[in-house]
């Protein structure tokens, strides 16, 4: 295998299909810009340290920049024979500048090189994830402000539970996304570490300056253990884990959008831009983009489990198994950016059917807790109050009468504590607005949280 850049010790020749199996260029070509960026910084450092000549570094850097220009123009062809992006670029560089290209690999290995490229790739893209989350949060806050006084049933077990503000509901997803945002912020901290200089696993005998390279590449710090530097993929696992949690949140929202656009609920209507029809049923308007987003959650979960499984039994330091670390991350990034954009679009264009939400509260007994609280405030132990109201609910269901429509005389048969003011308590608006505890659904609370969220988003 003398034609390989590492082939001096080998004499046998692998079949083409073996080369294809072992190659990663099919997906790691996406690291091309990062590989060139890291190589330019490395060459600059080698010259600064006197490890290679200034003229040699200039030649190498000029060749790398030429390759970058051609790559961006779609003029570069990568070969499976050269296995990965690193050897492909080195091979092309050699064609351009001659044997001096071989000096670029002084004091580094593909092990710390690929780790550096991967760190750079994710470091460059995490800001885009945070921006996409912020855009969706902004849409949620805007919609929440328009619906502070929109009443709807709150659910537990998918059963009507208590009346809430729709704005309050929307802000619950803002809060979930806020935690997602903070998780990706923390992910940046562990991505912002430079592996280059660890070489294969033990460091190098050359007098390199790792802090100089870190400064050139914009890394906050360097790895302090060479074994850890080349074998760490925690930053990628964190990204996949954060993405999986994000997709769980979005999938829950998607599920509710799918339900709430159905004929049975009819709380929302998605715009035509984010809906599809049926090839056979002319009346259908399907929430396909919400459904597809929900479905894509599975692939993100799969990528997380895939990398966890790859890493779970690896001895230090680098192993070929780790070639499987990138494709899932690349796909996950594309997925979450697309899904976040779709959700922002769906929310900004959908119609909220406020009247339908409000009407669904009529006769649903979701004000039963208000009735129990009313009795408890009159001095009846809550457990007894719960039992009294439960019997009234049963009676109402049997007779087809809502709690708010029961005559006072009927209520007083259940408890003498009921008075005329009970009907005000049973009003859904009162039920919502009296829940003023911190984090509660009262409209004044929701408006305060809207203002607080606006300040958070404006500070980014």
């Amino acid at each position: 295998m003398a034609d390989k850049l590492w082939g001096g010790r080998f004499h046998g020749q692998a079949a083409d299909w073996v080369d294809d199996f072992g190659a990663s260029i099919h997906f790691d070509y996406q690291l091309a810009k990062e590989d060139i960026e890291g190589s330019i910084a490395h060459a600059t450092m080698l010259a600064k340290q006197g490890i290679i000549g200034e003229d040699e570094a200039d030649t190498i850097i000029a060749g790398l920049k030429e390759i970058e220009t051609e790559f961006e123009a779609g003029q570069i062809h990568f070969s499976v024979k050269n296995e990965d992006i690193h050897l492909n670029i080195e091979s092309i560089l050699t064609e351009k500048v001659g044997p001096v290209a071989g000096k670029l690999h002084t004091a580094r290995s593909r092990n710390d090189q690929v780790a550096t490229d991967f760190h750079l790739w994710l470091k460059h893209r995490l800001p885009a994830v945070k921006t996409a989350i912020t855009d969706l949060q902004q849409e949620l806050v805007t919609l929440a402000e328009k619906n502070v006084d929109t009443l709807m049933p709150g659910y537990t077990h998918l059963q009507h539970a208590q009346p809430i503000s729709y704005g309050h509901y929307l802000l619950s997803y803002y809060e979930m996304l806020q935690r997602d945002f903070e998780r990706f912020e923390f992910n940046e901290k562990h991505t912002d570490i430079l592996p280059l200089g660890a070489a294969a696993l033990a460091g190098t005998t050359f007098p390199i300056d790792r802090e100089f390279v870190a400064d050139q590449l914009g890394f906050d710090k360097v790895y302090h253990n060479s074994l850890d530097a080349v074998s760490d993929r925690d930053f990628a696992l964190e990204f996949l884990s954060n993405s999986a949690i994000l997709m769980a949140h979005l999938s829950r929202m998607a599920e509710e959008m799918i339900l709430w656009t159905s004929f049975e609920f009819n709380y929302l209507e998605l715009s035509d831009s984010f809906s599809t029809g049926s090839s056979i049923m002319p009346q259908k308007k399907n929430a396909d983009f919400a459904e597809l987003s929900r479905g894509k959650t599975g692939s993100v979960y799969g990528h997380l489990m895939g990398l966890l499984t790859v890493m779970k039994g690896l001895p230090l330091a680098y192993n070929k198994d780790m070639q499987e670390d990138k494709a899932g991350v690349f796909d996950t990034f594309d997925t979450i950016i697309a899904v976040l954009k779709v959700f922002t679009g769906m929310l900004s264009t959908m119609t909220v059917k406020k009247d339908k939400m409000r009407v669904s509260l009529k006769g649903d007994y979701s004000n039963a807790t208000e009735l129990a609280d009313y009795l408890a405030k009159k001095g009846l132990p809550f457990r007894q109050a719960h039992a009294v109201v439960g019997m009234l609910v049963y009676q109402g269901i049997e007779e087809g009468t809502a709690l708010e429509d029961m005559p006072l005389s009927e209520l007083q048969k259940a408890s003498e504590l009921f008075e005329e003011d009970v009907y005000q308590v049973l009003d859904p608006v009162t039920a919502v607005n009296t829940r003023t505890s911190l984090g509660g659904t009262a409209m004044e609370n929701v408006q305060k949280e809207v203002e607080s969220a606006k300040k958070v988003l404006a500070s980014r």
Side-chain angles (χ1 to χ4, degrees):
M1 293 190 182
D3 59 330
K4 302 285 188 182
L5 291 177
W6 44 261
R9 177 248 190 269
F10 292 80
H11 295 283
Q13 187 69 39
D16 288 346
W17 70 266
V18 175
D19 280 341
D20 191 65
F21 178 79
S24 59
I25 192 60
H26 309 294
F27 54 85
D28 70 9
Y29 71 89
Q30 296 179 66
L31 296 173
K33 288 177 69 66
E34 284 74 22
D35 193 72
I36 291 169
E37 184 181 357
S39 291
I40 289 173
H42 184 64
T44 303
M45 180 275 295
L46 291 176
K48 182 184 84 72
Q49 296 298 102
I51 298 171
I52 67 174
E54 291 280 357
D55 57 335
E56 292 173 321
D58 290 344
T59 299
I60 289 170
I61 291 169
L64 288 168
K65 289 181 177 179
E66 186 178 339
I67 294 171
E68 182 175 24
T69 299
E70 292 175 359
F71 174 75
E72 290 175 342
Q75 298 170 351
I76 293 287
H77 172 71
F78 297 126
S79 169
V80 168
K81 289 292 184 182
N82 287 322
E83 301 175 20
D84 56 35
I85 189 61
H86 325 295
L87 293 187
N88 265 277
I89 287 179
E90 185 174 341
S91 177
I92 295 168
L93 181 65
T94 302
E95 292 175 5
K96 288 186 177 297
V97 304
V100 70
K103 293 197 173 186
L104 176 60
H105 208 55
T106 306
R108 76 174 183 184
S109 161
R110 276 191 294 175
N111 295 354
D112 61 340
Q113 186 179 355
V114 66
T116 299
D117 292 358
F118 201 11
H119 274 266
L120 275 173
W121 187 93
L122 191 54
K123 176 180 166 66
H124 289 160
R125 285 159 181 79
L126 282 172
V129 175
K130 295 196 304 178
T131 296
I133 291 173
T134 298
D135 289 344
L136 179 53
Q137 284 183 294
Q138 183 64 64
E139 197 54 53
L140 285 165
V141 172
T142 299
L143 199 55
E145 187 167 30
K146 293 177 181 177
N147 288 278
V148 170
D149 60 353
T150 301
L151 300 188
M152 66 170 290
Y155 295 84
T156 62
H157 307 277
L158 205 56
Q159 304 292 325
H160 285 213
Q162 294 175 331
I164 61 170
S165 156
Y166 180 52
H168 188 60
Y169 160 85
L170 292 164
L171 289 180
S172 71
Y173 281 102
Y174 164 86
E175 295 290 347
M176 293 182 212
L177 288 167
Q178 183 61 24
R179 294 191 295 274
D180 291 322
F181 184 92
E182 291 167 4
R183 273 186 281 269
F184 283 110
E185 275 192 315
F186 191 69
N187 192 185
E188 285 183 309
K189 178 180 178 181
H190 290 154
T191 303
D192 205 12
I193 313 174
L194 175 70
L196 202 61
L201 77 159
T204 178
T205 58
F206 290 93
I208 61 174
D209 185 344
R210 297 185 65 206
E211 285 77 11
F212 174 81
V213 176
D215 185 62
Q216 280 194 295
L217 295 174
F219 281 101
D220 184 56
K221 55 186 177 180
V222 301
Y223 279 91
H224 281 253
N225 184 287
S226 57
L227 290 168
D228 183 41
V230 297
S231 62
D232 172 38
R233 293 298 184 271
D234 289 358
F235 68 99
L237 286 167
E238 282 182 1
F239 174 74
L240 292 173
S241 176
N242 296 345
S243 298
I245 296 171
L246 168 66
M247 288 298 292
H249 293 156
L250 298 177
S251 187
R252 293 179 74 180
M253 197 194 312
E255 172 69 8
E256 288 169 331
M257 294 175 81
I258 294 160
L259 285 172
W260 293 357
T261 55
S262 68
F263 180 83
E264 287 74 15
F265 281 85
N266 197 28
Y267 291 171
L268 304 173
E269 182 176 355
L270 295 178
S271 73
D272 291 353
S273 301
F274 291 96
S275 306
T276 63
S278 164
S279 63
I280 189 172
M281 295 167 283
Q283 85 284 5
K284 292 291 296 298
K285 185 175 184 180
N286 301 325
D288 273 9
F289 290 89
E291 291 176 7
L292 185 57
S293 297
R294 184 180 58 182
K296 285 181 178 293
T297 303
S299 65
V300 174
Y301 286 6
H303 292 320
L304 171 61
M305 290 307 300
L307 186 54
L308 282 169
T309 305
V310 165
M311 298 300 297
K312 78 173 184 67
L314 295 186
L316 294 176
Y318 182 83
N319 299 271
K320 186 69 167 177
D321 314 50
M322 292 164 71
Q323 182 170 292
E324 295 295 302
D325 60 356
K326 288 174 283 297
V329 171
F330 295 164
D331 183 64
T332 294
F333 172 78
D334 290 341
T335 297
I336 63 174
I337 290 294
V339 171
L340 285 164
K341 186 175 181 181
V342 162
F343 268 85
T344 302
M346 286 193 295
L347 288 173
S348 66
T349 58
M350 74 182 184
T351 301
V352 179
K353 300 188 176 181
K354 299 183 180 186
D355 292 342
K356 184 65 174 69
M357 286 183 174
R358 177 65 181 267
V359 167
S360 67
L361 289 168
K362 178 65 177 174
D364 70 342
Y365 301 99
S366 64
N367 50 6
T369 306
E370 314 314 313
L371 211 55
D373 286 350
Y374 174 91
L375 292 174
K377 288 173 182 177
K378 295 274 188 174
L380 192 67
F382 183 80
R383 284 302 172 201
Q384 292 180 34
H386 186 285
V388 168
V389 176
M391 288 186 289
L392 285 170
V393 169
Y394 179 80
Q395 177 184 332
I397 292 171
E398 289 291 301
E399 297 175 354
T401 305
L403 291 174
E404 60 269 27
D405 294 334
M406 286 185 178
L408 182 60
S409 58
E410 282 298 311
L411 295 175
Q412 288 178 334
K413 287 179 184 179
S415 173
E416 295 179 353
L417 295 174
F418 287 121
E419 298 179 45
E420 195 67 45
D421 63 347
V422 71
Y423 294 105
Q424 183 179 354
V425 170
L426 289 171
D427 186 330
V429 175
T430 303
V432 167
N433 280 334
T434 52
R435 298 193 176 278
T436 55
S437 59
L438 181 62
T441 189
M443 295 176 195
E444 63 178 281
N445 284 13
V446 177
Q447 188 60 52
K448 287 178 183 176
E449 292 302 324
V450 164
E451 297 305 321
S452 176
K454 283 181 178 180
K455 291 178 182 177
V456 170
L457 295 174
S459 68
R460 292 182 186 166

